[in-house]
Amino acid sequence: MIRITHLSKTYGPVTVLKDISLQVAKGEVISIIGPSGTGKSTLLRCLNLLEQPDGGSIRVDGVDLLDKKSDVPKIRQRMNMVFQSFNLFAHLTALENLTIGPVRLQGLDRHTAEQQAMEILKLVGLAEKAHHFPDQLSGGQKQRVAIARCLAMRPEIILFDEPTSALDPTMVSEVLAVIRRLAREGMTMLIVTHEMDFARDVSSRVLYMDEGVIYEQGTPQQIFENPCKEKTSAFINRIRSLSWRIESPAYDLYAMNAELENFCEKQILPRQTRQHLLLLVEELLLLHGPLLPSTPIDLTIAYSEKKESIELVLEHRGETNLLQQELLPDELGLTIIQHLVQDIQCRRTDDVYRLTISLKSG
Ligand code: ADP
Ligand code: MG
């Protein structure tokens, strides 16, 4: 239905979309996820011709959207968009918001348009509010009217740009329920969303966008349970991390501890976990200290909010894995480490020792 090839978009010096190629079949529900600022909205806006791409092509059923001769209003009706901020006409009632497009743009007579609008308002659960103005409606109701207005144009494809981001948490589910219903009825949809559980169960395909490209895509199961790439995994598991490169034996442990405390506080980690982390970092550095300054040490602490797990990764280019028992100068250090950690894995690739240490939870 939609075929996007090598789409690119630049704002001044910033390349927002680098090289996007994507095909969408009729009836597909595609969720687009990714950190903010990675071009998700820009992609939808290019599809809806609210932005002019710099390169590449977009075809819908073979029609070239970027052709100067193409009928933009007609394309927008076929591929209609729902915005984060509703964009309802404030001076029109819910019903009038739904009839204005079909009457003005599609030449429908008012009576038929109103009948049709009432049917659609019923579908989104808002027939009772037909004569209310937007400011008499809650956020969730406004967004359902916006979806209904979009449906009134009889689109073949709907583009949703974070349809629930402007809503109070209590109103998110009523909007998602409407979108779920459309999915069941076979509507083709592209949905930019931060609602991961929703994306997981409504989509036939999930795109993870980062660095101006479709960084990884797959079925919801692939993306949410088995992402292939590190950035996707970090995003899905809401991993926050803190890294240091230690190059001199005179490293400032107090400054590092302060940063670590700060990090733990931001992630709201329990006091005991903080103490364990501080102790673990200190012991690991003591053990690896002899490598300095000839071999720098890279230390990363990664906290997965979703799994509520903490992982430390220590990398160095030394000759040996210093956590091997027989090499240890002091037994106590190892005992402390063993007491704090759940699992330690050591791998050597390309001269780099990589210790991956999972902290015991609780
Ligand atoms: P997302 O929706 O993934 O958060 P956007 O597509 O909104 O990302 O924006 C991607 C980048 O493009 C951001 O860095 C943003 O600042 C920039 N950008 C978006 N719209 C414009 C614009 N009209 N002019 C200049 N820069 C823009
Ligand atoms: Mg956006």
Side-chain angles (χ1 to χ4, degrees):
M1 206 173 193
I2 309 178
R3 181 188 295 265
I4 303 169
T5 41
H6 305 301
L7 193 74
S8 63
K9 174 72 189 172
T10 312
Y11 292 113
V14 187
T15 304
V16 178
L17 301 178
K18 276 190 196 138
D19 182 9
I20 304 269
S21 293
L22 173 68
Q23 291 185 33
V24 182
K26 195 169 165 55
E28 270 199 284
V29 177
I30 299 185
S31 292
I32 304 173
I33 60 171
S36 59
T38 49
K40 305 180 298 297
S41 298
T42 305
L43 174 61
L44 293 194
R45 294 170 64 83
C46 284
L47 287 177
N48 204 236
L49 299 175
L50 292 167
E51 297 287 355
Q52 188 66 32
D54 298 318
S57 77
I58 307 172
R59 289 177 172 274
V60 178
D61 285 335
V63 178
D64 183 358
L65 259 61
L66 306 181
D67 186 341
K68 296 266 182 306
K69 292 185 293 269
S70 62
D71 183 349
V72 173
K74 187 145 182 220
I75 290 163
R76 287 208 184 119
Q77 289 167 38
R78 293 184 61 188
M79 192 151 59
N80 212 342
M81 187 150 164
V82 173
F83 301 87
Q84 183 179 338
S85 50
F86 328 128
N87 295 10
L88 292 175
F89 299 114
H91 63 291
L92 300 179
T93 62
L95 187 74
E96 288 162 349
N97 263 284
L98 265 69
T99 54
I100 185 169
V103 169
R104 292 219 186 144
L105 298 171
Q106 296 177 334
L108 218 61
D109 68 90
R110 182 161 303 280
H111 181 68
T112 313
E114 280 180 4
Q115 267 183 337
Q116 178 192 297
M118 281 310 292
E119 285 305 312
I120 298 171
L121 282 175
K122 243 183 245 165
L123 190 91
V124 301
L126 289 172
E128 264 191 338
K129 307 284 182 192
H131 302 293
H132 285 54
F133 287 92
D135 66 5
Q136 297 171 306
L137 301 173
S138 74
Q141 291 167 339
K142 276 188 239 186
Q143 191 60 304
R144 283 187 283 152
V145 172
I147 296 172
R149 181 181 59 177
C150 173
L151 290 170
M153 299 302 284
R154 305 272 169 213
E156 292 159 52
I157 302 156
I158 306 182
L159 312 173
F160 288 93
D161 192 3
E162 297 195 28
T164 59
S165 295
L167 301 177
D168 284 345
T170 52
M171 293 168 186
V172 168
S173 67
E174 66 191 61
V175 171
L176 295 183
V178 168
I179 303 175
R180 276 202 176 90
R181 174 169 185 174
L182 297 176
R184 274 200 305 277
E185 289 170 0
M187 179 62 81
T188 310
M189 301 189 280
L190 264 65
I191 311 167
V192 173
T193 184
H194 286 295
E195 299 287 336
M196 296 297 149
D197 291 337
F198 168 72
R200 189 190 192 114
D201 61 46
V202 81
S203 330
S204 48
R205 190 154 37 125
V206 179
L207 311 183
Y208 173 72
M209 276 186 71
D210 208 332
E211 298 175 354
V213 296
I214 297 170
Y215 191 82
E216 185 168 352
Q217 61 172 306
T219 62
Q221 198 171 6
Q222 277 162 357
I223 297 294
F224 288 108
E225 273 153 45
N226 247 325
C228 296
K229 297 189 171 181
E230 207 161 314
K231 279 199 170 181
T232 318
S233 168
F235 182 80
I236 299 295
N237 293 308
R238 283 169 288 177
I239 292 171
R240 305 280 177 272
S241 65
L242 178 65
S243 300
W244 296 286
R245 159 157 283 210
I246 300 138
E247 295 183 297
S248 142
Y251 60 85
D252 186 348
L253 186 63
Y254 292 103
M256 286 177 66
N257 281 348
E259 269 182 69
L260 189 53
E261 289 259 18
N262 206 337
F263 175 79
C264 292
E265 203 159 306
K266 262 198 213 144
Q267 315 307 328
I268 332 175
L269 299 180
R271 225 168 74 95
Q272 199 188 23
T273 308
R274 286 186 214 189
Q275 286 168 346
H276 287 177
L277 255 180
L278 288 172
L279 196 55
L280 190 57
V281 167
E282 188 172 341
E283 288 301 331
L284 281 171
L285 290 179
L286 269 178
L287 282 174
H288 290 85
L291 293 172
L292 300 166
S294 57
T295 314
I297 299 168
D298 288 304
L299 183 62
T300 299
I301 292 165
Y303 169 63
S304 163
E305 189 185 324
K306 192 166 159 221
K307 296 185 189 155
E308 292 188 19
S309 65
I310 298 174
E311 208 174 77
L312 280 84
V313 177
L314 188 144
E315 289 179 321
H316 64 78
R317 290 175 173 272
E319 292 293 307
T320 46
N321 168 15
L322 292 174
L323 283 191
Q324 284 176 63
Q325 206 142 9
E326 58 274 18
L327 296 175
L328 287 176
D330 96 84
E331 285 272 325
L332 183 64
L334 188 70
T335 312
I336 291 175
I337 290 173
Q338 279 171 342
H339 183 72
L340 297 175
V341 308
Q342 190 167 28
D343 183 46
I344 302 184
Q345 287 181 18
C346 178
R347 245 193 308 167
R348 188 175 199 207
T349 32
D350 302 331
D351 285 353
V352 177
Y353 268 109
R354 184 183 170 107
L355 288 173
T356 308
I357 300 167
S358 330
L359 199 71
K360 271 188 187 152
S361 53

